Amino acid sequence: MATLSAYPNTNTNTNFLSPTDQSNHDRESIPPMQNHPSAEPDSDANPNFHSPLLDPPDLVPPAVAPSSLLHLSFNQDHGCFAAGTDHGFRIYNCDPFREIFRRDFDRGGGIGVVEMLFRCNILALVGGGPDPQYPPNKVMIWDDHQSRCISELSFRSEVRSVRLRRDRIIVVLEQKIFVYNFVDLKLLHQIETIANPKGLCAVSQGAGSLVLVCPGLQKGQVRVEHYASKRTKFIMAHDSRIACFALSQDGQLLATASTKGTLVRIYNTIDGSLLQEVRRGADRAEIYSLAFSSNAQWLAVSSDKGTVHVFSLKISAGSPGVLPKYFSSEWSVAQFRLVEGSQYLVAFGHQKNTVVILGIDGSFYRCQFDPVNGGEMTQLEYHNFLKPEAAF
């Protein structure tokens, strides 16, 4: 099963640097990591910082057998996306679409989690699939300038997901979340959650302090950590279990969906108030991803029903919001039809009124919606990024 993760937008102008992709970009400044061990937090998980790994894994040329996707995720500004495969991982640019680079390993090679840090050379990797490259209970910090892992975090249970900021590394286990300082990997905070097999977690990516959202300890509950004010807010978002959520870039808005999948609710993360409710459909569906536009004017939703919806958000700064009833829930203004039953990840493109859609089948769509008249979106671009010839 693929891990589909939604990320909030941000306007940071950082650049990804692979050894062969440096001509048009300035180097992203990342503080050097220090080799300070993290303290043992408890008996359930064992985060340990290890000194830089000396031997890089054996890499093989790109001409390998067709790969199967294990993971898809956008980077923090939705300008790139990462794919974990049973052979390694690949990084792509969204607009214009092209493959930036790939790393295929000759032994094992399965990568179940790939988390980018904007466009810099540092990534977080977790092994996955039937033949994982790394143990699934370890987070490997990969430096692509050196084509090797420079450090790792070890745990006593499998890692479900990882989130990165320039100042933090967040590791999500089945029922715990650990927050580390990026530079020295010092453990700063740990959070207990209800069973979280999808590794649901969202973090703000704006210039301000960290806002973190994760499942609470009850069914249908989300927990919001405001690290600047050192405040924790619990929101009973749904009666059913939480299936998906997303944060706006600044961390002030939270969109949530339950396992029922008919409604999406938008909350104020500061006071927990319900600001708006939108309706995906009348029948049950599995929501795969939610995404805010960079200005929080639009919300995109993908589900197993094969339609990507775009909703207009009627939320203005400082507005107390409204509490719509069932019959007044708002329907989407724009839609794009896809194959029903397949998994898709959605985000807003950097060009105005565009949406980028990634499929676990290797499909890449870029579409445009009419913000005034709505209706069916216009397909601008399509690629299958799993095909060997799709090297851009």
Side-chain angles (χ1 to χ4, degrees):
M1 177 64 71
T3 302
L4 295 178
S5 308
Y7 296 91
N9 281 344
T10 182
N11 294 323
T12 307
N13 295 318
T14 53
N15 299 301
F16 191 93
L17 288 177
S18 71
T20 59
D21 193 38
Q22 303 184 21
S23 58
N24 298 322
H25 302 303
D26 298 324
R27 180 165 184 160
E28 168 79 8
S29 176
I30 296 294
M33 288 188 174
Q34 302 172 17
N35 297 347
H36 298 313
S38 296
E40 171 82 15
D42 61 20
S43 59
D44 294 324
N46 181 25
N48 289 316
F49 174 69
H50 298 264
S51 298
L53 307 178
L54 300 179
D55 298 323
D58 294 327
L59 298 172
V60 296
V64 294
S67 296
S68 298
L69 274 180
L70 302 177
H71 169 95
L72 276 176
S73 61
F74 286 99
N75 75 336
Q76 290 83 353
D77 69 356
H78 295 169
C80 295
F81 69 93
T85 75
D86 53 1
H87 294 307
F89 65 92
R90 307 175 186 181
I91 305 297
Y92 299 85
N93 193 68
C94 290
D95 188 15
F97 174 79
R98 67 186 179 95
E99 181 180 301
I100 298 177
F101 76 95
R102 65 175 67 186
R103 300 289 176 253
D104 289 315
F105 305 115
D106 69 346
R107 294 192 303 269
I111 299 295
V113 174
V114 190
E115 175 77 354
M116 299 177 67
L117 180 60
F118 292 96
R119 291 173 177 262
C120 83
N121 52 294
I122 301 297
L123 302 99
L125 306 177
V126 179
D131 195 4
Q133 175 69 16
Y134 307 110
N137 66 321
K138 290 186 177 183
V139 176
M140 314 299 292
I141 307 300
W142 175 276
D143 182 350
D144 202 69
H145 285 170
Q146 304 180 51
S147 291
R148 67 185 180 96
C149 292
I150 57 174
S151 60
E152 66 182 57
L153 287 163
S154 298
F155 301 87
R156 289 181 182 151
S157 60
E158 291 189 8
V159 175
R160 299 302 186 188
S161 66
V162 182
R163 301 287 181 262
L164 296 182
R165 281 172 47 108
R166 289 192 181 88
D167 56 351
R168 296 291 183 266
I169 298 176
I170 296 96
V171 180
V172 184
L173 307 182
E174 177 84 20
Q175 291 184 287
K176 279 193 171 64
I177 294 177
F178 298 96
V179 181
Y180 297 91
N181 190 42
F182 202 110
V183 175
D184 57 8
L185 296 188
K186 179 182 178 181
L187 180 63
L188 302 177
H189 191 205
Q190 58 177 313
I191 302 169
E192 292 189 6
T193 70
I194 197 171
N196 185 18
K198 291 183 178 179
L200 299 178
C201 182
V203 297
S204 62
Q205 294 293 344
S209 180
L210 169 63
V211 178
L212 181 151
V213 177
C214 63
L217 288 170
Q218 302 176 39
K219 181 180 68 174
Q221 184 187 69
V222 290
R223 174 174 178 159
V224 184
E225 290 290 334
H226 293 273
Y227 285 90
S229 58
K230 298 181 180 179
R231 294 180 60 189
T232 302
K233 185 70 182 178
F234 291 94
I235 301 172
M236 284 304 302
H238 300 273
D239 294 330
S240 305
R241 294 190 308 276
I242 300 296
C244 191
F245 52 70
L247 268 176
S248 60
Q249 172 188 325
D250 58 11
Q252 293 187 17
L253 298 177
L254 169 67
T256 67
S258 75
T259 52
K260 190 175 180 182
T262 54
L263 297 175
V264 177
R265 292 174 174 147
I266 295 91
Y267 291 92
N268 180 323
T269 62
I270 297 174
D271 61 14
S273 60
L274 176 61
L275 300 177
Q276 191 174 345
E277 188 176 82
V278 298
R279 178 167 289 278
R280 181 214 53 82
D283 52 347
R284 297 180 71 97
E286 183 175 358
I287 302 293
Y288 288 132
S289 74
L290 301 168
F292 285 95
S293 62
S294 58
N295 60 4
Q297 183 180 358
W298 308 99
L299 179 75
V301 181
S302 68
S303 75
D304 64 349
K305 293 300 181 183
T307 302
V308 169
H309 296 269
V310 171
F311 297 90
S312 175
L313 299 184
K314 321 261 186 233
I315 301 167
S316 58
S319 169
V322 293
L323 301 177
K325 296 180 181 178
Y326 174 88
F327 55 86
S328 62
S329 298
E330 298 168 66
W331 296 83
S332 61
V333 298
Q335 307 83 31
F336 187 73
R337 314 290 174 180
L338 295 155
V339 178
E340 186 170 347
S342 189
Q343 296 187 52
Y344 295 97
L345 185 67
V346 65
F348 286 90
H350 285 191
Q351 294 188 37
K352 192 173 183 180
N353 303 327
T354 60
V355 172
V356 176
I357 304 166
L358 309 177
I360 201 65
D361 58 357
S363 57
F364 172 96
Y365 296 90
R366 197 164 60 86
C367 310
Q368 190 167 39
F369 63 93
D370 186 328
V372 177
N373 299 315
E376 294 292 327
M377 297 189 223
T378 301
Q379 180 178 312
L380 302 177
E381 199 172 1
Y382 169 81
H383 301 280
N384 186 329
F385 56 84
L386 284 182
K387 289 185 176 179
E389 62 269 20
F392 293 81

PDB file of all heavy atoms in Angstrom, residues 374-385:
ATOM      1  N   GLY A 374     -16.183  27.546 -12.706  1.00  0.00           N
ATOM      2  CA  GLY A 374     -16.010  26.201 -12.179  1.00  0.00           C
ATOM      3  C   GLY A 374     -16.230  25.142 -13.241  1.00  0.00           C
ATOM      4  O   GLY A 374     -15.896  25.322 -14.413  1.00  0.00           O
ATOM      5  N   GLY A 375     -16.758  23.990 -12.825  1.00  0.00           N
ATOM      6  CA  GLY A 375     -17.025  22.895 -13.745  1.00  0.00           C
ATOM      7  C   GLY A 375     -15.822  21.993 -13.934  1.00  0.00           C
ATOM      8  O   GLY A 375     -14.918  21.940 -13.081  1.00  0.00           O
ATOM      9  N   GLU A 376     -15.813  21.259 -15.051  1.00  0.00           N
ATOM     10  CA  GLU A 376     -14.730  20.320 -15.316  1.00  0.00           C
ATOM     11  C   GLU A 376     -13.411  21.057 -15.553  1.00  0.00           C
ATOM     12  O   GLU A 376     -13.372  22.032 -16.306  1.00  0.00           O
ATOM     13  CB  GLU A 376     -15.064  19.455 -16.531  1.00  0.00           C
ATOM     14  CG  GLU A 376     -16.253  18.528 -16.324  1.00  0.00           C
ATOM     15  CD  GLU A 376     -15.957  17.430 -15.322  1.00  0.00           C
ATOM     16  OE1 GLU A 376     -14.802  16.982 -15.243  1.00  0.00           O
ATOM     17  OE2 GLU A 376     -16.904  17.006 -14.614  1.00  0.00           O
ATOM     18  N   MET A 377     -12.358  20.582 -14.940  1.00  0.00           N
ATOM     19  CA  MET A 377     -11.041  21.176 -15.157  1.00  0.00           C
ATOM     20  C   MET A 377     -10.511  20.822 -16.545  1.00  0.00           C
ATOM     21  O   MET A 377     -10.918  19.832 -17.151  1.00  0.00           O
ATOM     22  CB  MET A 377     -10.045  20.681 -14.102  1.00  0.00           C
ATOM     23  CG  MET A 377     -10.387  21.079 -12.685  1.00  0.00           C
ATOM     24  SD  MET A 377      -9.034  20.672 -11.550  1.00  0.00           S
ATOM     25  CE  MET A 377      -9.955  20.004 -10.175  1.00  0.00           C
ATOM     26  N   THR A 378      -9.587  21.623 -17.028  1.00  0.00           N
ATOM     27  CA  THR A 378      -8.935  21.390 -18.314  1.00  0.00           C
ATOM     28  C   THR A 378      -7.589  20.714 -18.079  1.00  0.00           C
ATOM     29  O   THR A 378      -6.772  21.212 -17.286  1.00  0.00           O
ATOM     30  CB  THR A 378      -8.707  22.715 -19.051  1.00  0.00           C
ATOM     31  OG1 THR A 378      -9.966  23.368 -19.244  1.00  0.00           O
ATOM     32  CG2 THR A 378      -8.039  22.473 -20.402  1.00  0.00           C
ATOM     33  N   GLN A 379      -7.352  19.586 -18.730  1.00  0.00           N
ATOM     34  CA  GLN A 379      -6.065  18.908 -18.604  1.00  0.00           C
ATOM     35  C   GLN A 379      -5.017  19.642 -19.425  1.00  0.00           C
ATOM     36  O   GLN A 379      -5.172  19.828 -20.625  1.00  0.00           O
ATOM     37  CB  GLN A 379      -6.176  17.455 -19.060  1.00  0.00           C
ATOM     38  CG  GLN A 379      -4.871  16.676 -18.946  1.00  0.00           C
ATOM     39  CD  GLN A 379      -5.029  15.227 -19.363  1.00  0.00           C
ATOM     40  OE1 GLN A 379      -5.960  14.557 -18.925  1.00  0.00           O
ATOM     41  NE2 GLN A 379      -4.137  14.752 -20.203  1.00  0.00           N
ATOM     42  N   LEU A 380      -3.943  20.062 -18.783  1.00  0.00           N
ATOM     43  CA  LEU A 380      -2.854  20.764 -19.453  1.00  0.00           C
ATOM     44  C   LEU A 380      -1.706  19.833 -19.818  1.00  0.00           C
ATOM     45  O   LEU A 380      -0.984  20.090 -20.785  1.00  0.00           O
ATOM     46  CB  LEU A 380      -2.318  21.894 -18.561  1.00  0.00           C
ATOM     47  CG  LEU A 380      -3.315  22.957 -18.107  1.00  0.00           C
ATOM     48  CD1 LEU A 380      -2.625  23.949 -17.182  1.00  0.00           C
ATOM     49  CD2 LEU A 380      -3.916  23.677 -19.311  1.00  0.00           C
ATOM     50  N   GLU A 381      -1.531  18.766 -19.034  1.00  0.00           N
ATOM     51  CA  GLU A 381      -0.339  17.944 -19.187  1.00  0.00           C
ATOM     52  C   GLU A 381      -0.589  16.564 -18.602  1.00  0.00           C
ATOM     53  O   GLU A 381      -1.320  16.422 -17.615  1.00  0.00           O
ATOM     54  CB  GLU A 381       0.815  18.626 -18.439  1.00  0.00           C
ATOM     55  CG  GLU A 381       2.204  18.206 -18.816  1.00  0.00           C
ATOM     56  CD  GLU A 381       3.260  19.082 -18.142  1.00  0.00           C
ATOM     57  OE1 GLU A 381       2.894  19.993 -17.375  1.00  0.00           O
ATOM     58  OE2 GLU A 381       4.449  18.833 -18.403  1.00  0.00           O
ATOM     59  N   TYR A 382       0.017  15.551 -19.225  1.00  0.00           N
ATOM     60  CA  TYR A 382      -0.032  14.202 -18.679  1.00  0.00           C
ATOM     61  C   TYR A 382       1.294  13.504 -18.975  1.00  0.00           C
ATOM     62  O   TYR A 382       1.855  13.632 -20.062  1.00  0.00           O
ATOM     63  CB  TYR A 382      -1.165  13.365 -19.282  1.00  0.00           C
ATOM     64  CG  TYR A 382      -1.056  11.897 -18.923  1.00  0.00           C
ATOM     65  CD1 TYR A 382      -1.495  11.434 -17.684  1.00  0.00           C
ATOM     66  CD2 TYR A 382      -0.440  10.995 -19.790  1.00  0.00           C
ATOM     67  CE1 TYR A 382      -1.361  10.107 -17.328  1.00  0.00           C
ATOM     68  CE2 TYR A 382      -0.302   9.654 -19.446  1.00  0.00           C
ATOM     69  CZ  TYR A 382      -0.758   9.215 -18.209  1.00  0.00           C
ATOM     70  OH  TYR A 382      -0.608   7.900 -17.856  1.00  0.00           O
ATOM     71  N   HIS A 383       1.808  12.767 -17.992  1.00  0.00           N
ATOM     72  CA  HIS A 383       2.998  11.929 -18.162  1.00  0.00           C
ATOM     73  C   HIS A 383       2.836  10.683 -17.314  1.00  0.00           C
ATOM     74  O   HIS A 383       2.129  10.689 -16.305  1.00  0.00           O
ATOM     75  CB  HIS A 383       4.283  12.662 -17.711  1.00  0.00           C
ATOM     76  CG  HIS A 383       4.541  13.930 -18.443  1.00  0.00           C
ATOM     77  ND1 HIS A 383       5.091  13.987 -19.697  1.00  0.00           N
ATOM     78  CD2 HIS A 383       4.298  15.217 -18.086  1.00  0.00           C
ATOM     79  CE1 HIS A 383       5.200  15.251 -20.088  1.00  0.00           C
ATOM     80  NE2 HIS A 383       4.722  16.017 -19.121  1.00  0.00           N
ATOM     81  N   ASN A 384       3.503   9.604 -17.713  1.00  0.00           N
ATOM     82  CA  ASN A 384       3.669   8.437 -16.857  1.00  0.00           C
ATOM     83  C   ASN A 384       5.127   8.419 -16.421  1.00  0.00           C
ATOM     84  O   ASN A 384       6.014   8.104 -17.208  1.00  0.00           O
ATOM     85  CB  ASN A 384       3.315   7.151 -17.602  1.00  0.00           C
ATOM     86  CG  ASN A 384       3.336   5.939 -16.690  1.00  0.00           C
ATOM     87  OD1 ASN A 384       4.101   5.887 -15.721  1.00  0.00           O
ATOM     88  ND2 ASN A 384       2.520   4.956 -16.980  1.00  0.00           N
ATOM     89  N   PHE A 385       5.362   8.795 -15.157  1.00  0.00           N
ATOM     90  CA  PHE A 385       6.747   8.974 -14.716  1.00  0.00           C
ATOM     91  C   PHE A 385       7.431   7.656 -14.355  1.00  0.00           C
ATOM     92  O   PHE A 385       8.615   7.648 -14.019  1.00  0.00           O
ATOM     93  CB  PHE A 385       6.827   9.961 -13.544  1.00  0.00           C
ATOM     94  CG  PHE A 385       5.989   9.608 -12.339  1.00  0.00           C
ATOM     95  CD1 PHE A 385       6.458   8.731 -11.375  1.00  0.00           C
ATOM     96  CD2 PHE A 385       4.741  10.175 -12.164  1.00  0.00           C
ATOM     97  CE1 PHE A 385       5.703   8.417 -10.268  1.00  0.00           C
ATOM     98  CE2 PHE A 385       3.961   9.870 -11.047  1.00  0.00           C
ATOM     99  CZ  PHE A 385       4.450   8.982 -10.104  1.00  0.00           C
TER     100      PHE A 385
END
